Amino acid sequence: MPINSPVNLTAHNVSSREIEVSWDYNEDPRLVLGDLTGFWLYFLEANASDFFPDDAILRTYYTDTRRRTRVRGLEIFRLYNISVAARTTKGDGPRNDSVIVRTHGEGKWTVTR
């Protein structure tokens, strides 16, 4: 089971239902403690008032050993608190510090002056 967590987590909205997430990970065998098989992405969804209540929806996504992925099928114009953990053949490691990002809203945006 890894004893280190991913670092340099970044996330940005790509569309109204899609967020791209990237991170770095130190694969030093003294820290990974097993064969790295992939990463778990944790998406905690805020409610309509932009709060993360105790019963907030937690979505998990699994990815291979790449350090970048796009998550699709999210809610429109919604805040997500995102964190990542490494997975090895021996178990899951700790999550990193999270970031918060919002998906876009739908429709055309116009700027007036």
Side-chain angles (χ1 to χ4, degrees):
M1 174 163 51
I3 58 174
N4 63 333
S5 60
V7 296
N8 301 325
L9 175 64
T10 61
H12 68 275
N13 54 15
V14 177
S15 71
S16 61
R17 295 189 179 270
E18 187 174 4
I19 292 174
E20 184 170 274
V21 184
S22 63
W23 60 92
D24 296 321
Y25 188 70
N26 183 350
E27 289 190 54
D28 183 327
R30 294 173 293 174
L31 301 172
V32 178
L33 305 177
D35 295 323
L36 183 66
T37 59
F39 295 93
W40 282 109
L41 281 71
Y42 299 90
F43 276 58
L44 185 64
E45 183 179 313
N47 64 21
S49 300
D50 290 346
F51 291 106
F52 295 99
D54 292 338
D55 62 346
I57 296 170
L58 177 66
R59 300 177 185 216
T60 57
Y61 303 90
Y62 184 71
T63 185
D64 59 18
T65 58
R66 289 176 289 173
R67 308 309 198 270
R68 176 183 300 268
T69 192
R70 284 190 177 189
V71 176
R72 295 170 174 86
L74 301 173
E75 295 296 320
I76 298 167
F77 200 65
R78 189 64 56 94
L79 278 181
Y80 288 93
N81 184 325
I82 303 167
S83 59
V84 179
R87 181 175 182 87
T88 68
T89 53
K90 298 187 185 259
D92 301 338
R95 294 186 202 180
N96 58 358
D97 290 336
S98 63
V99 297
I100 296 176
V101 66
R102 182 188 301 277
T103 53
H104 289 301
E106 286 191 331
K108 294 184 179 181
W109 294 85
T110 57
V111 177
T112 57
R113 293 183 187 179

